[in-house]
Each structure stands twice: as C-alpha cells, then as structure tokens.
Amino acid sequence: LAVPIPGGDNEPAFQGPTTFHLIQISSFANSTWAQNQGSGWLGDLQIHGWDSESGTAIFLKPWSKGNLSDEEVTELVEIFRVYLIGFLRVVQDHVSEFQLTCECRPL
Ligand SMILES: *[C@@H]1O[C@H](CO)[C@@H](O)[C@H](O)[C@H]1NC(C)=O
Ligand SMILES: *[C@@H]1O[C@H](CO)[C@@H](O)[C@H](O)[C@H]1NC(C)=O
C-alpha cells in the first residue's frame, strides 16, 4: 500500500520509514454476541477504521486509499468483511474446544 506522505500545514510530516499495520480486536461477550473492531495505522497515525455494523472500512484521510483504484478498494474491503465474519463464526463454533469460557470477576 503506497500512501502519499502528507507534508502540509495540517498534517505532520513523517520522518524516515513508516510502518503500516492493521489492528483487529474481536470481542466475545457471551455465546451469541461478538463484534470486530479494526483499524489501520501508518506509524502512530490512524488512517483506517472499521464499521462493524455495516461491515465496511472507514477512510479517515483523503489519501487513506493510497494509490488503489475504487475497484481494488472494494475488493479488499470485501475480503476483510468475509474474513472478519468468518473469524467470529469459527471462534464461536469452537469456543468449547478452545476452553475460552471463563467466569470473569473484577479483582
Ligand atoms: C450477550 O451480550 C450482549 C452484549 O453485552 C448483550 O446485549 C446480550 O444481552 C447478551 N446475551 C445473553 C444471552 O447473555
Ligand atoms: C501503487 O504504487 C506502487 C508503488 O509505486 C506500485 O508498485 C503499484 O503498482 C501501484 N498500484 C496501482 C494500483 O497503481
């Protein structure tokens, strides 16, 4: 993913090589309720969010799509959507095998 480096007055200029990483947080409240949160980060700057209700990406900067075409972005978002739904389903289906159930109490 190539992203133009913003250097304008409103954006801090990046120094040196910047990493891009994605964070996935999947929450499982009980046997039926689960939700994904997702975000994309260029260094310390968040440039992508994830709307778990609609299952679509949120582009937080005008340049968050990098040089990908709309078609490529749509395809990528669809891959993430299918993956995230599948991830929740697989974990929920195998919770007993993973022995993930716990009775959590504040200390
Ligand atoms: C499961 O958790 C969700 C979110 O906390 C809650 O709204 C729902 O009532 C819970 N369902 C059951 C069966 O406990
Ligand atoms: C985006 O930029 C990278 C790096 O310059 C290039 O390798 C890639 O082919 C470009 N992709 C598109 C879709 O233009």
Side-chain angles (χ1 to χ4, degrees), residues 34-92:
Q35 189 183 58
N36 287 306
Q37 291 164 277
S39 53
W41 298 78
L42 198 58
D44 292 337
L45 184 68
Q46 185 182 356
I47 63 169
H48 301 127
W50 185 259
D51 183 340
S52 60
E53 289 293 316
S54 60
T56 192
I58 302 161
F59 297 96
L60 298 171
K61 301 286 172 190
W63 42 266
S64 288
K65 294 179 184 178
N67 65 347
L68 298 178
S69 68
D70 286 347
E71 202 172 56
E72 288 167 326
V73 168
T74 303
E75 203 172 310
L76 212 49
V77 167
E78 178 66 8
I79 289 169
F80 278 110
R81 200 180 62 77
V82 170
Y83 158 73
L84 288 166
I85 291 169
F87 181 83
L88 294 187
R89 188 168 304 148
V90 167
V91 172
Q92 283 177 320

Side-chain angles (χ1 to χ4, degrees), residues 6-21:
D9 292 340
N10 303 324
E11 302 280 357
F14 293 110
Q15 306 289 327
T18 304
T19 58
F20 175 68
H21 58 276

Side-chain angles (χ1 to χ4, degrees), residues 29-34:
N30 50 45
S31 59
T32 54
W33 190 97

